[in-house]
Structures are given as C-alpha cells and as structure tokens.
Amino acid sequence: MAGGAREVLTLQLGHFAGFVGAHWWNQQDAALCATTDAREPPGELCPDVLYRAGRTAHGQETYTPRLILMDLKGSLSSLKQEGGLYGDRQLDAAIAWQGKLTTHKEELYPPNPYLQDLLSAEGVLSSDESSIRVWSDFLRVHLHPRSICMIQKYNHDGEAGRLEAFGQGESVLKEPRYLEELEDRLHFYMEECDYLQGFQILCDLHNGFSGVGAKATELLQDEYSGRGIITWGLLPGPYSLGEPQKNIYRLLNTAFGLVHMSAHSSLVCPLSLGGSLGLRPEPPVTFPHLHYDATLPFHCAAILATALDTVTVPYRLRSSPVSMVHLADMLNSSGKKVATAAATIPFPLVPGQSLPDALVQLGGATAWTPLSACGDPSGTRFAQSVVLRGLDKACHTSRLAPGTRLPSPLHACDTGEDVLAQYLQQQQPGVRSSTHLLLAPCKVVPPYPCLFSPSLSRHGLLLDGPPLGAAVESIPVLGALCSSSTSGRALGDLARELGKLDVRRWASFMDAGVEQGDVEEALQELGSLAQCYQGGDGLAD
C-alpha cells in the first residue's frame, strides 16, 4: 500500500505517449535510485503517488509504476507484454494445465543493443541511439503484468491496419474485449489504493488514439466521479506539407480529441514541440541550451517528459501536496478546460549565482518556451501553477552585504518562495499564481539523450570557462501550467480551419464512425471552448 500517499493512476494511450512515458518513468527511476540512502531524509517528492509495492509468487518484493498502457500490435519489440518480474504467463498456464499442450511460437525480436548496454553491469553506452525504433527500446523500468494492454486488431508498422482516425479509436473501447480488459485493470489498481486522488492520462492526440482517450476519459468520469482527471494530449514534432491526408487526419483527430477529452477531464493540456495545432506547419520551438532533432520522437519525448516531471510536482509532493482536483480547479474556472504548458529547460543559473540575480537576468515572457503548440504565448494569463526545481538552498535569496543598494525588489525577499512569487507578480500583475520551489533537480542520466550545450556543468549550471566535457546528469527546470487567452486563440483557429474543410472529401475518416453531425457538433464545441477565454474572471483581458 502507499502508506498514506494520495495515489495517482497513469494511463498511456498511443505510441508517442509511450515514448514520453518511457522517458518519464526512466526519470522517476533515476530519482528513486538517487534517494536510496537510508541515512538521507525522505525526498520532497513521494514516489508512492506513482508507484505500487507488490510481491511476486516467489516472495520477491517489487516496486512498479501504477500504470495502464495501451499500444498496437508490433510496438513492444523485445519487451514481453506481461513484463519480466512476475514470471512467464504462458509457462504458468502450462504448469496449471495437465492436458495436451500445443505451442505456437512467434519469432521474438532480439533485445535492442542500446537497452542491453543500459542494463549491463557497466552501464556504458557503446550503441548508437539510432537503433531506437520503439519506446520499449529504451525503457529501463520493470512493469507489472497488468500494465500492458495490446490492441491486436491494429498494426504499429506497415501501411495497412493502422489506427489512424478518431472513430476507429472510439470503436476500440466499444468492443467488449478491450473495454473489459481496461475495466479489469482499473479495478485491480483501484482496489489496492487507500486514497486515489485521480488519473493522469498521456494520450496521442494526432492519431486514432485520440478516440481511445475520449472513450477512456468518459469511462473514468462515469465510474470514478470526484477524482481528478488530467489529460496530456501529446503531439510529435513538425510535420510535412507533402502528406495531405496525414495532416488532415491530424487536424481532425486533434480537434475531436480536445473537444471530447476536455468534456470528460478536469483539465486538458496539449504538449508538443511543434509551433501550431493547425494545418500550416510552424517551425519547432527552440531552447538556448538544448540541441535536439525535432524529427526524432526519442528527442522530443525526452524534453516533454522533463516538462511533465516538473509541472506535475504539486500533486506528487510528500509534504503539503496540492491535489489534482484542486490544481485543475485553479486553472479551469469558467469552463477554461484547456491549459497550456511552458518551461525553461534548463533554468539558466551560473554557479554561485542567487535566484534574484538569475530571475532579473532572465527577464519576462520570452524566458518561457511554449510547449502546447498554441502559437504566440504572449496572451493574457488568468491563472498559473509554477514550479522551479534544482536550486540549492544557499542561492534562494540575495547574499548582498548589509547596506548595499538592492538591484531589484526580488533582492529584498526573505525566502526563495517569496522571490519566485514576487517575480511572477512583476511579470503578470493580478494573475492568480501557485508556486513551488524544490531542491531536487530533474534527472537526465542515460537513456536520456545527450541534448545539452557543452557549456553546461554536470548539474546543468552555466559555465563561464571552457567546457569540462562531463555528461550532464541533472538540471534545474522552471515549468508552468497556465490558463491563458493563448488557448482560446488556438482553439478558435482550430475551429476556423475545421470549418473550412470539406470533410466529405475524406470519406475514409468518416467511414471510421464519424458523421457529418459529429463534425458540426465538434465545431460548435470548439467555438464554445474558445469563448470561455474571452472573459478574464474579473481581470483585465
């Protein structure tokens, strides 16, 4: 049991969600490994929120993610569907059955060399990350046998049998087989929770998994009302104009997914390194101290997982956590169900520099890199939850000698929390803000990709001198979840693009279970969602 923790059940729906999830769980695992010394005080984050303790049939204690994962046939590579901790499900069945046994064996994928290097005793990476094809190629965390649910009727690879359209995804969870599998797993995890605060859902938004997510959130809202449901709609990097059908499907799936998942979730937040949710491709976002390939899901997912690991801090705290329901309520007032995310990765800090000095140097809104593909982030903010992590206590406040003229009001604050709150008040006066300041940095050890500028130290600090050549192992991160007019503008733009489409030209999308009336209803709902952001909760818009 979770020993008093307010548990969260994670659902990962789709292959890009698998990439983000694999990085997310690897980062949780790295943080767990860093705090195994019993002499150290418990960390600021409570791992029991996300993990469950268990025991195998042979009495071995386990600690695995509280996770339900859905993906397509062919997406697991060498990973067994039942995981590797609890024995072989087929072998156990064979032992129990005393009759005649016939075995039909599928050819196994060879273990990925990148993962083999990671799991070796030395842990030295000699293999190139180019060998990574699927998320299971770099997942180093053991999963529970009840975690993985494979959708066998659709293929991960190939041109045929793909889960491409929203209607296909909806129909998956209308089938008794898959619906019962999901419900069975939900009941298994729910029964062992003392106090489940809610569900966090990582869901592909660009393909048919948007329909799976729509039905899953509807099921959760119906069956577990009162629990928080925070949905992260995930979109991979930039796309090409040379694939018109794929781009139209992407637009339609995104629009339908946002409408349906926002109706059944406490909060929805798109996450992407792309510049736009619409048909017109925009260049991917940039970071001053990161060098990444936007065409690689392995790279994009790592950055999004880092942001996710930061903005979800409030409901994972060991002391004085903010529940998922309260976090969502702060951001979703007056129907503003679609939030945006932004981050500074890494937060730029020179060794020995104080937080007031760093924030003064950072400046205003341009310091944040938008991560929700909603365009220009300079709109009006109504509410925000901000987390800054990875700063030593000694640098939280100014260390100027008594009598020295203060460079800014930030230098007069007595605590790091006050410094951060004062900075946000200066940048966005009148915005409701919730702030958290953590000592724990974000872990970026392998298999996290090497994306960092050579000017960063091992702990992600900016170096003045020549690069040391040491691999970056952890970084400070500033992350935010925001309710802002940017969401309203993006939803309105999405509605306008959808309204211009002659959906009859895309009969294959409609044949998957969507009717003309559904398109008109989605248009109306998008417009209604966008209108929610035209008023400012009594604040200036």
Side-chain angles (χ1 to χ4, degrees):
M1 290 296 175
R6 300 199 281 187
E7 303 99 337
V8 169
L9 176 54
T10 302
L11 278 71
Q12 284 171 210
L13 309 175
H15 201 68
F16 187 59
F19 267 87
V20 176
H23 278 299
W24 156 273
W25 293 114
N26 287 340
Q27 287 183 305
Q28 307 313 309
D29 185 63
L32 273 174
C33 294
T35 57
T36 51
D37 189 343
R39 293 168 297 181
E40 292 185 6
E44 297 155 296
L45 298 175
C46 178
D48 289 341
V49 171
L50 299 173
Y51 279 75
R52 62 175 297 279
R55 193 180 295 272
T56 68
H58 304 292
Q60 178 190 356
E61 290 187 354
T62 62
Y63 199 54
T64 52
R66 191 178 295 105
L67 168 69
I68 299 171
L69 180 159
M70 299 186 82
D71 209 340
L72 307 180
K73 184 171 68 177
S75 62
L76 291 185
S77 189
S78 59
L79 178 66
K80 292 181 181 178
Q81 184 172 341
E82 66 273 12
L85 279 180
Y86 286 76
D88 190 310
R89 187 173 56 185
Q90 292 177 337
L91 182 61
D92 292 344
I95 292 169
W97 170 251
Q98 300 301 316
K100 187 178 177 182
L101 188 70
T102 305
T103 302
H104 301 272
K105 192 170 183 179
E106 258 187 52
E107 187 178 342
L108 295 176
Y109 286 93
N112 183 276
Y114 189 84
L115 189 60
Q116 280 185 306
D117 284 350
L118 280 172
L119 300 179
S120 69
E122 295 80 16
V124 177
L125 284 174
S126 57
S127 301
D128 193 87
E129 64 184 40
S130 62
S131 68
I132 292 171
R133 297 185 309 107
V134 294
W135 54 263
S136 52
D137 285 339
F138 64 95
L139 177 72
R140 60 180 303 163
V141 176
H142 286 294
L143 302 181
H144 189 273
R146 297 288 187 106
S147 279
I148 299 176
C149 176
M150 298 305 295
I151 301 173
Q152 298 291 347
K153 66 181 291 186
Y154 292 109
N155 297 316
H156 168 64
D157 288 316
E159 293 302 314
R162 304 298 294 269
L163 183 60
E164 296 176 308
F166 178 87
Q168 291 174 299
E170 271 199 317
S171 69
V172 165
L173 288 185
K174 289 177 182 176
E175 289 188 31
R177 172 188 172 184
Y178 294 113
L179 179 59
E180 286 168 12
E181 267 202 76
L182 177 58
E183 288 180 328
D184 177 58
R185 285 162 165 78
L186 286 169
H187 293 153
F188 169 77
Y189 286 114
M190 285 292 294
E191 285 171 4
E192 63 179 17
C193 288
D194 293 327
Y195 175 60
L196 186 97
Q197 60 168 310
F199 306 88
Q200 60 177 12
I201 302 174
L202 281 62
C203 181
D204 286 6
L205 206 52
H206 60 294
N207 55 32
F209 273 101
S210 65
V212 177
K215 294 303 290 183
T217 52
E218 182 181 355
L219 171 67
L220 294 176
Q221 188 187 46
D222 289 344
E223 295 288 325
Y224 306 104
S225 62
R227 314 286 186 182
I229 303 173
I230 296 184
T231 302
W232 310 94
L234 301 167
L235 295 142
Y239 48 97
S240 165
L241 282 174
E243 299 175 297
Q245 176 170 318
K246 198 171 177 181
N247 292 338
I248 295 293
Y249 274 37
R250 182 184 192 273
L251 178 78
L252 289 164
N253 289 326
T254 298
F256 274 90
L258 285 175
V259 164
H260 286 262
M261 286 190 275
S262 63
H264 302 299
S265 303
S266 313
L267 193 73
V268 173
C269 180
L271 285 178
S272 175
L273 300 183
S276 164
L277 295 175
L279 285 176
R280 198 165 117 196
E282 299 285 345
V285 297
T286 58
F287 301 83
H289 304 291
L290 293 184
H291 308 291
Y292 75 99
D293 184 342
T295 65
L296 293 180
F298 182 58
H299 285 190
C300 295
I303 296 169
L304 294 179
T306 300
L308 198 59
D309 191 33
T310 300
V311 298
T312 58
V313 156
Y315 57 82
R316 298 191 288 125
L317 289 169
R318 190 181 297 276
S319 175
S320 304
V322 177
S323 73
M324 297 180 87
V325 169
H326 289 147
L327 177 63
D329 283 349
M330 190 189 95
L331 296 167
N332 68 11
S333 63
S334 305
K336 300 181 183 70
K337 285 276 200 85
V338 181
T340 58
T344 306
I345 306 174
F347 178 74
L349 191 71
V350 174
Q353 188 179 30
S354 73
L355 177 58
D357 286 335
L359 289 172
V360 167
Q361 196 171 328
L362 191 64
T366 54
W368 304 86
T369 299
L371 298 176
S372 292
C374 288
D376 183 5
S378 61
T380 303
R381 288 192 182 185
F382 309 121
Q384 58 189 353
S385 169
V386 178
V387 176
L388 176 57
R389 59 185 305 184
L391 272 68
D392 289 337
K393 191 87 171 174
C395 67
H396 281 189
T397 56
S398 173
R399 297 189 300 278
L400 295 174
T404 306
R405 184 174 176 274
L406 299 179
S408 79
L410 303 183
H411 291 76
C413 296
D414 294 326
T415 67
E417 288 80 2
D418 290 345
V419 172
L420 185 56
Q422 175 79 13
Y423 168 75
L424 294 172
Q425 182 60 29
Q426 285 180 359
Q427 299 300 325
Q428 293 113 14
V431 176
R432 286 200 311 277
S433 296
S434 167
T435 58
H436 292 90
L437 188 61
L438 268 70
L439 302 177
C442 206
K443 296 291 182 181
V444 290
V445 294
Y448 199 96
C450 300
L451 308 177
F452 300 99
S453 160
S455 62
L456 294 181
S457 74
R458 193 161 59 97
H459 299 299
L461 302 181
L462 295 175
L463 300 172
D464 288 332
L468 297 176
V472 179
E473 296 177 2
S474 62
I475 55 171
V477 179
L478 178 65
L481 273 180
C482 310
S483 171
S484 77
S485 59
T486 303
S487 295
R489 186 175 63 243
L491 292 165
D493 291 345
L494 198 59
R496 279 186 284 277
E497 290 206 48
L498 186 59
K500 291 176 185 174
L501 275 185
D502 181 2
V503 289
R504 292 170 299 182
R505 289 185 55 202
W506 307 100
S508 55
F509 187 91
M510 307 299 281
D511 291 345
V514 173
E515 298 178 356
Q516 180 65 37
D518 298 323
V519 177
E520 291 167 5
E521 187 178 339
L523 260 173
Q524 189 175 348
E525 290 298 324
L526 276 175
S528 298
L529 273 172
Q531 283 180 355
C532 293
Y533 297 85
Q534 291 180 4
D537 295 344
L539 302 173
D541 188 1

